[in-house]
Every structure is written in structure tokens, then in C-alpha cells.
Amino acid sequence: MPSGRPSLVGLLGLFFLLLIIVWLGVNFVKDPQEFINVFFVGLTRGAVYALIALGYTLVYGILQLINFAHGDVFALSGLIASSVLLSVFGVTTDSGAGLVIVAIAVALIVAMVLASTLNVTIEFVGYRRLRHAPRLAALITAIGMSFIVQNIALAIYDVDYQSIPRLIPNSSVLTIGEVALQWNKLFVLALTIPVLLALTWMVRETRHGKAMRATSQDRDASAMMGIDVNRTISFTFALAGSLAGAAGLLFLLYFTTMRYDTGFELGLIAFTAAVLGGIGNLTGAVLGGILIGLIQEFNEGLAWATPGGDWTRSIVFGILIAILVFRPSGLLGEQTPEGE
Amino acid sequence: MRKKSLFLALLALLVGALALAAAGCGGDDDGNGNGGGEGDGGGGGVTALPSSLCSPLEYEGEGEPDLIIASDLPLQGSSRNQTIQMTEAMRQVLSDAGWKAGDLNVGYQSCDDATPQAGKWDSGKCSQNGKAYASNEDVMAVVGTFNSGCAQIIIPLLNEAPGGGVAMISPANTYVCLTTPGPACDETEPDKYYPSGTRNYIRMVAHDGYQGAALAQFMADRDIQSVFILNDKESYGLGVAENVRNAAESLGIEIAGFEAWDPKAAGYEGLMRQVGQSGADALFLGGLIDENGAQVIKDKVAVLGPNDGDVMLLAPDGFTAQATIDEAGQENAAGMFSSVAGVPPEELTGAGAEFISSFEETLGGEPIEPYSAYGAQSMQVALDAIAAAGDKDRAAIVEALLQTEVTDGILGSFGITEEGDPTSGPITIYVAGETFTTEEVITPEEDLVSAAMGG
């Protein structure tokens, strides 16, 4: 029975939250313009995380499976996009805008189609037959799939970083005082927001979306009501794959460097973002991604009393643990049968 | 239904086989078709090192080899061009010597301490290699390692090897505490690397005390007032970053910040904004290009501007390779300064100039990487030590190695201190453009070197 008094752990949590607010406040007061600049950097990085996190959350929502291969599908599709840009179109920093736009559009289509196909294949080969197996079997298969996709990327692209020229300029599009928003950041944000809106609309309003929600709540009942469960799950994997493909290209265009194992660490962060926001919750995945991006950049970019890069991972995962302790369903709550 | 199951099983098998093949073949090529080859026992009079670790035994002299010299370098990842050139340089020395050391026929194996997954030296692989050298009684000398972190693992294994230890000559290790105690070293260093109580390791390059001093001197000469120092958290990167910090402080340069970059991070824009806010007019990157260094350089230029602008960019020898320019892009690397212990290839004279001239022909126009001559000199020192010992006797070879005195060698004339360091310490500062070209050669004052080491 609740005592009505706050626990020691709760008080500690409030104390740390207060500390963070004070720290952010002091940094803002000391240099508000730089604070906003760092905020934009974090927001952009967070948007990239969010796009990857959406794929995790979609699959978890329907299968309650953490598809560890998702991060690696993201990396492989980014590498494939680099081949399209460099080997097929031969784009350079001197290429005309027309060629760059066509090359990016083709790379986007190729990356999304290939990533979708790969994701659907992974589900068909690896996960479908384990749907009624213990959770652990599916989890281990997901980890195995992650290594397989990673090694395929390694075999094709070798261990070297694949670099592309900066095709989206980092010159300022908007400047107020010393606060500047660059074209490449605007590009990332302008792509993430419509993707989230379109995805939310699709899940809520369309036939496929309704089928996904129904399958996520009760697979057997959905099948009895005439929903093709296998097709719906494949569709979800295809959707998650196409998000990974888009995120791969976006990452490549923004950071301009990628390697076969880029998806491992990023996948973990994106998965963390999905859990932070409330896994299975689309808006939660975006919120989680953006929060982690901001935490990372504030920790590395602010000047006053900043723990610095040595502590970034500890802080990100420490906050995750705190959220799970105080709010196990994530910030916005799960939207899965388990979360209800 | 059974057909479908069979199909699925076959498909799964195919995917698994593809992955296994992928794991095995990623970048495992040292440019000579090595990596496979004959089995573990091949090689005539000697037992070759396992083909899973090293290239097949090479020997082009008469008869059969009497002993093996192995090189231990990371042959995969960003260092690959550099290290493959080093193995080519060693082969050239062996060929010039007729594959002989005194009366003994010398076989050669090129061993890789990198993994395709890491794309750089790997502690597990270093340990595996070190144990293989120690336990193979035909291995009389090891030329390597390239990375100090790997040397920290291999030196003690070779030091305790049967027969009095295996002689080890590094062409590129610069971490101070491998040979020399100092305030910045752990109190167990360097003794913990030599558990037998006798040294078996020397190096051809001056340690990072010299590099740190030279880089600080270079900054002071260019009127740098404040430097922000980053490191990649590896022992080499952190070590050289501390050496630069100590030397810079002793020259009155303010340290605007001392932080690490996370090699696994996607980008470093926030970190670079912090550098910008600190007011530093120089940024030093202590670490390796393999540790996502190209992204650090790109973000430096994106946030702080070009390297010949407001914030100068400097790095140690971990960045002085063509891979830095190729991976970061010439537009980002241009104007970056980086150092290498020793003199540049074009300033070598006598035997060094002759070597460079003939090596240029071997390479067919490819730019010579700074450490190639050091690889060649290391192999020559190994051959000389074996010749001086006159027998296939590990202890005698180690003893001869510690007496090394190079006269008119590829790197000129120099001796080796009791600790195993070369007696001369010039440092070359390169500037990046299309390739790295020599900017200046600095021989730092001993006082500054001592300050760099924390003294």
C-alpha cells in the first residue's frame, strides 16, 4: 500500500532532474546563442536517431521482437546509397544541383527498396518460424541476423570508412545574431517531420495501418476477422526497412562517412531512444531519439561544467536506466498489448 | 509443406554460408596475395607460422631457410597502405641481402595483427600472434609492431619466450613507457613488459616525448596562444596528447581543454563547438586515423573552418598516412599538420637515399609513406643482429640486438640507448595537401623533451 510519502529514490531522481535543469539554465544564461546552436546540432542528430528508432518501434509494436538487425540494415543501405552516389552518378562537390538531386532521389529509392527487401527476407527466413517459439529464441536469432547483415556489409565494402563529398551544404540558411541554422540540418529536420506525420497517418487511418494495429493487439483474433497476418507482418518489416533505407541515406548525407559497423552503435542508441520514448509508440520513438541527440550534444557542446565526451555513453544509458526505474513504459508509454 | 521446409532450411544455410564467407574474406589481403597459402608446416627446414595468422613462408635464396623473421603489422584498415609498403620495404632489404643474415638463410612471414572487423590492431590477435612467435623455435626476430597498444601485449610474450626471448624491433612504436620510465607512466612501466628481467625490444623511432616536444615547439614558433587537445582514449593517443600538453604548458601555451573523442560516435559537431567556445587557436588530435579520425577532421572543418584559418589542426604520426587525406577528403585535410618521428624520405642520404630511389621504382609512382624506410631499417637491424650472433640462438641474437650501432644505415648513423631507444630524435612536421609533404624538421631540445614526458 503506498505510504503517500516520496521514496528516497524518488527524491534522488528529483534532485538529479533539478541539477540538470540548473545546469542547462546556467549554460543558457551564460551564452544563449551558443546554447541554441548546440540545440540545433542535437536536434538534428536526434532526428537521425528517431528515423532509425521508428523501425525498431514498428517491429516491436507488431511482434514484440527487438529486431537487432535493423541497425545493420540501416548501415548496409547507407553504404549502398554511397555506391549509387559515387559509382553510378559520380557526384562530387562540383556537381550541378540537378545531378545531385537526381542522384539523391535514385539513391533514396534504391536504398529503401533494398532495405525493405532485406528486412522482409530476414523476417521470412529468421523470425516467421519462431513466432510461437520462446522469446529467447527469437532474440538470439535477431542477434545472429545482425551479425550476418554486418558481415555481408563487411565483405562488400571492407572495413574502410566510405566517404562522400558534402552534397548538402553546411552553409547557413537562417542567421540571427550568432545563431545559425544550416542547410544540412534543415534537410534532416524537413525529412524527419513529414515521415513521422505520414507514418502516424498511415498507422491510424489506412487499411494496412488498421491491420497492423489489430495484429499487434491479437494475432489470432485478427486472423479470424480475415486479416492476413503474415502479409501484415511482412508489410511492417518492409515499412521498417524502407525507414532504415531512408535513414541510411540521410545519415550519409549529413555525416558523409559510414562504415559496415556504423549501425551497431547507432542501432543500440536508436533502440534506447525507442525504449525511452515508449517502445511501440511512434511519437515516443521520435521524442526519445531527439532527447538522446540533445543529451549527447549538450554534454559535448556546452561550455560550463560539462562532463564531456568521456561521459556521454554513461549519461545516455544512465538516463535510460532512470527512466526505466521511474517510468518503465517509457516517457509516452507503450502502445503494445504488453503495455496496456 | 516438406518442400517448403527444405527450401527454408537451404535458404538459411545459404545466408549462413554467405556470412561465414564474409567474415573470412573481408579485407584480408596484404597486397601480395598473402593470407592463404601453404599449411602450418610448410617451409623446408623450418616450421612456418600458421597460415591463419601470417602469409606463407617466403624465401628466395639458395637451399632452405634456417630461421624465420616475422613482421607484425596491422594489414587491414586505414593503416593498410602504410603497413603494406613497410612489408614491401622489408622484402626489398631481404632481397638486397640475398635472404641471408651472415651465413644463415632467412625466411620471412608477414603477420597481420588487425582483424577485418576492427580494421585496426586487435588485442586478441596481438596476443595470438605473440604466442605463436614465442612458441615457434624457428622465429628468431619479430619486426613490429606498428601500434604501441599491440606492443604492450607482444613484448612480454616474446620476452619470456623459450631460449632467451625473441628479439623485437619496432619501426613505429612511439609510446614513451614501452622503454622509458617517467612521471606520466604507470609505476610498473616499463618493467612489466620485460618479466624475464632482460630487455629484448628496441625501436627505430624516437618516442612521443620527442614528438610532443616538437609539436609544441612548432605551435610556439607559429605564435599559437591556446591549444585544445583531444585524444582517442587509447594508450598511444592519450600518451601523445599528454606529452603535447606538458610540452605546450612548459612553453607558455595555454591548454584550452583536454578531452576525448568517442571513436564510435556518429559525429563531433557539438565537441567542435566546445573547442570553438574555448577560444583555442589550435586543435591537437592525439590518436589514430583508424579511430574515426576522418570524421573528427571533417567536423573540425565544418564547425571551426579550414585548417589554415582561425584554428590550426595538428596531429601525431597516427594520422600521417595517405588514408587521412583520402578518408577525410582533401578539402578537409588540407592545411593540417602532422608529425612523424624521424626525417622525411627525401632527406635521407647515403644508403637511405639509395634505398628510397630503388623503392620508388618498386612502388611505381605511389607516394612513399613516411614509415617505409623505418620498416626497412628495422629489418636491416634484425639481419645484422642475427649475423652478429652468428648462430640460430635466440639469447645471442637478443644480446646482439641490444648492442645495435647503425653506421650509414638507411636512417643514417645512430645508436640505441640502454632502454632501447634511438640516440637521435629528429621529428618531421608534414602538411596535408594532395599528399603529405614536408613542412619542417625539428630536433627538440632535451629540456623540452623532458618537460613533455612530465619531468
Side-chain angles (χ1 to χ4, degrees), chain A residues 67-76 79 118-119 121-123 125-127 130 138-157 260-261 264, chain B residues 8-26 117:
Chain A
N67 179 21
F68 281 111
H70 186 76
D72 303 293
V73 172
F74 146 81
L76 181 57
L79 291 171
L118 183 57
N119 231 19
T121 309
I122 287 170
E123 190 274 326
V125 173
Y127 306 148
L130 295 171
L139 192 74
I140 289 168
T141 307
I143 293 169
M145 283 296 174
S146 164
F147 283 121
I148 288 170
V149 176
Q150 204 178 95
N151 278 325
I152 290 171
L154 176 62
I156 300 171
Y157 288 96
Y260 81 98
D261 62 350
F264 185 75
Chain B
L8 281 174
L10 282 173
L11 199 63
L13 211 63
L14 181 70
V15 173
L18 268 174
L20 284 175
C25 72
Q117 285 79 13

Side-chain angles (χ1 to χ4, degrees), chain A:
Chain A
M1 196 173 155
S3 65
R5 284 188 304 175
S7 67
L8 182 65
V9 179
L11 283 173
L12 266 177
L14 276 176
F15 175 70
F16 277 113
L17 190 65
L18 198 70
L19 266 185
I20 290 169
I21 291 168
V22 169
W23 173 65
L24 288 173
V26 172
N27 270 294
F28 180 77
V29 170
K30 282 176 92 76
D31 193 343
Q33 294 181 335
E34 191 56 26
F35 186 93
I36 297 169
N37 279 328
V38 175
F39 175 82
F40 279 142
V41 178
L43 189 68
T44 315
R45 190 192 267 216
V48 177
Y49 293 158
L51 269 181
I52 311 170
L54 282 171
Y56 276 101
T57 223
L58 270 175
V59 169
Y60 187 86
I62 201 157
L63 273 187
Q64 288 77 57
L65 167 78
I66 301 158
N67 179 21
F68 281 111
H70 186 76
D72 303 293
V73 172
F74 146 81
L76 181 57
S77 53
L79 291 171
I80 290 167
S82 76
S83 294
V84 174
L85 293 172
L86 297 177
S87 304
V88 178
F89 287 94
V91 290
T92 64
T93 38
D94 300 328
S95 300
L99 178 68
V100 170
I101 290 168
V102 171
I104 290 175
V106 173
L108 182 68
I109 293 165
V110 171
M112 288 174 79
V113 169
L114 286 179
S116 289
T117 311
L118 183 57
N119 231 19
V120 170
T121 309
I122 287 170
E123 190 274 326
F124 183 71
V125 173
Y127 306 148
R128 184 166 294 189
R129 301 177 69 77
L130 295 171
R131 241 176 246 166
H132 301 290
R135 285 276 172 83
L136 197 60
L139 192 74
I140 289 168
T141 307
I143 293 169
M145 283 296 174
S146 164
F147 283 121
I148 288 170
V149 176
Q150 204 178 95
N151 278 325
I152 290 171
L154 176 62
I156 300 171
Y157 288 96
D158 208 345
V159 72
D160 300 330
Y161 286 95
Q162 305 292 318
S163 276
I164 64 159
R166 198 175 284 284
L167 300 176
I168 313 290
N170 62 346
S171 51
S172 298
V173 59
L174 178 73
T175 308
I176 303 167
E178 285 181 18
V179 175
L181 179 65
Q182 288 85 11
W183 280 107
N184 56 352
K185 292 189 180 67
L186 185 68
F187 178 77
V188 172
L189 296 172
L191 202 85
T192 309
I193 295 163
V195 165
L196 173 68
L197 293 177
L199 208 60
T200 309
W201 171 80
M202 202 221 71
V203 171
R204 285 197 183 147
E205 305 296 334
T206 66
R207 242 176 110 79
H208 276 303
K210 285 172 185 166
M212 282 166 66
R213 281 158 55 206
T215 308
S216 135
Q217 284 175 11
D218 192 326
R219 251 178 265 160
D220 295 333
S222 303
M224 280 192 284
M225 296 304 290
I227 292 172
D228 186 338
V229 171
N230 281 339
R231 219 174 87 180
T232 304
I233 291 174
S234 291
F235 176 77
T236 309
F237 271 84
L239 198 61
S242 63
L243 281 171
L249 176 70
L250 200 68
F251 181 94
L252 186 72
L253 290 172
Y254 185 68
F255 291 104
T256 71
T257 304
M258 218 163 179
R259 203 169 83 149
Y260 81 98
D261 62 350
T262 302
F264 185 75
E265 175 101 357
L266 248 79
L268 272 183
I269 290 173
F271 169 63
T272 307
V275 174
L276 189 63
I279 193 151
N281 187 319
L282 296 180
T283 318
V286 174
L287 179 68
I290 286 171
L291 274 179
I292 288 184
L294 288 173
I295 291 164
Q296 286 188 334
E297 293 303 335
F298 280 147
N299 179 52
E300 289 172 12
L302 295 180
W304 182 77
T306 305
D310 282 349
W311 292 94
T312 301
R313 279 191 217 176
S314 308
I315 290 170
V316 167
F317 288 98
I319 288 174
L320 174 76
I321 291 166
I323 292 286
L324 289 177
V325 168
F326 295 110
R327 200 171 163 81
S329 58
L331 291 174
L332 299 188
E334 295 178 32
Q335 284 185 350
T336 65
E338 285 185 342
E340 286 166 359

Side-chain angles (χ1 to χ4, degrees), chain B residues 164-175:
Chain B
V166 177
M168 183 171 170
I169 309 106
S170 171
N173 294 158
T174 54
Y175 177 54

Side-chain angles (χ1 to χ4, degrees), chain B residues 361-383:
Chain B
E361 284 175 27
T362 309
L363 295 179
E366 187 186 329
I368 294 184
E369 296 278 1
Y371 275 120
S372 297
Y374 288 79
Q377 181 68 75
S378 301
M379 179 57 83
Q380 188 60 58
V381 165
L383 292 176

Side-chain angles (χ1 to χ4, degrees), chain B residues 219 224 226-228 275 280-284 310-314:
Chain B
M219 285 190 275
I224 294 295
S226 166
V227 59
F228 200 108
V275 175
D281 47 7
L283 172 64
F284 175 75
D310 292 342
V311 183
M312 178 190 278
L313 182 63
L314 302 108

